Amino acid sequence: MRSIKEIFVIGYGPSSSHTMGPAFACEYILEKYNDIKNIKVTLFGSLALTGKGHLTDMVIDMKLKDISHSIVFDEKTEVSHPNTMQFAITLSNNEQVEETILSVGGGTIVVNDEVVGLKDDVYPHHTLTEIVDYCKKEKISLVDYVKKYEGDEIISYLGKVYDAIEESRTNGIKASGELPGTLHVQRKARQMYLNMRSSRRAENDILMNVAISSFAVAEENAAGGIIVIAPTCGSAGVLPGAITFLKMRNYSRKEIIDGLCVAGLIGIIVKTNASISGAECGCQAEIGVACAMSAAMIATVCEYDIDNITQAAEIAMEHSLGLTCDPVDGYVQIPCIERCAIFALKAINAAILARIVPPSGAKVTFDQSVQTMYLTGKDLNEGYRETGLSGLGKTLKAFKGE
């Protein structure tokens, strides 16, 4: 497996697959080819159907601003991966070159079945079961496991991740006004915070603060602000809510960063064996995985034993199965923002449940839940995989008479 740095990327929202991925794809093309005369970018699948709402065209225009280019949204051609981009490049000598690039979630791009810009595998194991067996044999914790294979620099990196999450939360609570786009969604985190502060009894309510933190970061993402994908932009509000829960229970920055080690481990296991892309497997692959990551982080920081930590992740993942990705008008706003808060709270409940339910009686492993999620995602109708053609995306259009 590759580094957990791949799960925690600091960058601009609102979508790791629809904005970060295409941005990195453009950078790849510009670095690979010199003397480009013209580029035609064709977007397929989910990128074509919801790209405008996700600001895909805006980020491509920004990256290719110094080169003559055009963008085509091809909503009809069937492709093997829902986030497929084709770059038709004309060089200065009129030579024609084509590159097909996949945006596979989390800002990661794939060219010719090879992941671009990432180091080789750093972990020798591929499933949580293998990792737990190894940790028990070596008598080490999951945190120790991550540190062993990532090296000391991972703690420094996760410190930056922690600080970026806190900054996006603070910025989100301070901000007000309307989010970009045609939905005219008003930011709510600031007003939620003020409503809570107006009641002395509510000011220290942990769950209210969790919800506010999740809203704040999810709104920053929707506004195109700087956030941490965890494991994607659309699910970026879940982990900050869980961190707020731990901070309000007086856990330290160091303890929470150790928890982020395990959260990242859960995320990279899913990305290795299944998917974290809403366009490929629905929102269960984004919010569901974020919930599992958060539950494992909470369990780690609260010093659960290794079996209870894995059970917390499994409970969160299992009970996110089937969650659809049906954004209204392609924006990462409805239902995405509110959903981040709901699943931050769900992560807390999963961790609490894992503490009291005997893990020895568990019939479903985390790895089995991950495989089930992947198969469920493949079975989902295309309209429920980030296309906005079904679910809320369709219903709300019908109410508007579109």
Side-chain angles (χ1 to χ4, degrees):
M1 295 191 304
R2 294 187 295 271
S3 170
I4 65 171
K5 292 178 182 178
E6 185 178 325
I7 294 298
F8 299 118
V9 179
I10 302 169
Y12 290 96
S15 171
S16 56
S17 60
H18 284 55
T19 50
M20 287 190 189
F24 296 151
C26 290
E27 291 172 2
Y28 169 82
I29 294 296
L30 294 175
E31 184 176 341
K32 184 174 181 179
Y33 296 98
N34 296 318
D35 302 323
I36 297 173
K37 183 178 180 181
N38 180 271
I39 298 178
K40 177 184 175 183
V41 184
T42 304
L43 305 173
F44 301 96
S46 177
L47 289 175
L49 290 162
T50 63
K52 291 183 179 179
H54 284 73
L55 309 183
T56 306
D57 50 342
M58 183 192 78
V59 76
I60 292 174
D61 284 334
M62 180 179 69
K63 289 295 181 179
L64 301 181
K65 63 182 179 180
D66 296 326
I67 293 176
S68 174
H69 67 277
S70 60
I71 304 171
V72 176
F73 292 83
D74 185 340
E75 300 181 6
K76 296 182 179 180
T77 301
E78 293 187 5
V79 287
S80 58
H81 192 282
N83 289 334
T84 298
M85 298 166 274
Q86 185 182 77
F87 290 78
I89 305 156
T90 303
L91 302 177
S92 57
N93 61 1
N94 291 322
E95 180 184 354
Q96 304 288 319
V97 183
E98 281 194 358
E99 292 271 7
T100 298
I101 301 178
L102 309 181
S103 178
V104 297
T108 303
I109 60 172
V110 172
V111 181
N112 297 325
D113 296 325
E114 294 290 333
V115 176
V116 175
L118 294 173
K119 294 181 180 179
D120 295 334
D121 288 353
V122 298
Y123 295 101
H125 307 101
H126 295 85
T127 68
L128 187 55
T129 300
E130 291 173 358
I131 293 168
V132 169
D133 287 346
Y134 175 81
C135 289
K136 287 182 177 179
K137 180 181 177 181
E138 297 295 319
K139 294 181 172 55
I140 61 173
S141 69
L142 291 172
V143 176
D144 293 332
Y145 175 84
V146 171
K147 291 178 180 178
K148 176 177 180 177
Y149 288 105
E150 296 272 3
D152 293 338
E153 67 173 290
I154 194 61
I155 299 303
S156 175
Y157 182 84
L158 291 177
K160 295 175 183 177
V161 166
Y162 178 92
D163 292 340
I165 288 173
E166 287 297 281
E167 185 173 356
S168 63
R169 181 186 65 84
T170 300
N171 291 340
I173 291 174
K174 289 179 179 178
S176 59
E178 192 175 282
L179 293 172
T182 60
L183 296 178
H184 305 293
V185 173
Q186 293 289 325
R187 284 180 179 259
K188 299 179 178 67
R190 176 172 172 76
Q191 191 57 53
M192 291 165 67
Y193 177 76
L194 293 174
N195 290 345
M196 182 186 68
R197 288 291 300 270
S198 67
S199 171
R200 290 185 178 180
R201 292 182 63 186
E203 187 173 351
N204 294 316
D205 187 292
I206 292 179
L207 299 186
M208 284 188 184
N209 278 280
V210 167
I212 291 167
S213 294
S214 292
F215 261 80
V217 175
E219 287 174 353
E220 275 295 285
N221 175 66
I226 294 178
I227 51 88
V228 177
I229 64 169
T232 65
C233 286
S235 62
V238 180
L239 199 69
I243 288 175
T244 294
F245 171 78
L246 293 169
K247 286 175 60 181
M248 293 195 70
R249 295 190 65 190
N250 298 315
Y251 287 103
S252 68
R253 182 179 188 272
K254 180 183 180 300
E255 290 171 316
I256 295 172
I257 288 173
D258 279 350
L260 287 174
C261 288
V262 179
L265 187 62
I266 293 297
I268 199 65
I269 288 169
V270 180
K271 190 166 186 177
T272 300
N273 296 289
S275 173
I276 58 169
S277 169
E280 190 172 13
C281 288
C283 199
Q284 57 174 358
E286 296 195 34
I287 286 282
V289 176
C291 187
M293 290 168 58
S294 298
M297 177 185 70
I298 292 168
T300 299
V301 176
C302 293
E303 299 184 327
Y304 290 18
D305 66 33
I306 197 166
D307 289 326
N308 291 106
I309 293 170
T310 60
Q311 180 155 293
E314 192 286 319
I315 290 171
M317 188 72 258
E318 179 184 347
H319 299 291
S320 300
L321 294 175
L323 192 62
T324 59
C325 185
D326 49 357
V328 178
D329 286 358
Y331 293 101
V332 192
Q333 298 176 17
I334 303 173
C336 318
I337 295 170
E338 191 172 277
R339 187 170 287 175
C340 281
I342 292 294
F343 278 77
L345 296 169
K346 186 172 182 176
I348 297 167
N349 289 334
I352 292 171
L353 194 58
R355 180 181 280 279
I356 58 176
V357 174
S360 58
K363 301 296 184 182
V364 182
T365 68
F366 176 75
D367 297 315
Q368 289 169 336
S369 289
V370 170
Q371 284 304 304
T372 303
M373 180 273 285
Y374 187 65
L375 294 173
T376 302
K378 293 299 184 181
D379 286 340
L380 284 176
N381 181 284
E382 182 187 17
Y384 294 101
R385 288 187 276 120
E386 208 169 0
T387 61
L389 297 175
S390 300
L392 284 173
K394 180 179 180 179
T395 304
L396 267 67
K397 281 189 175 182
F399 273 102
K400 291 190 296 183
E402 296 181 12

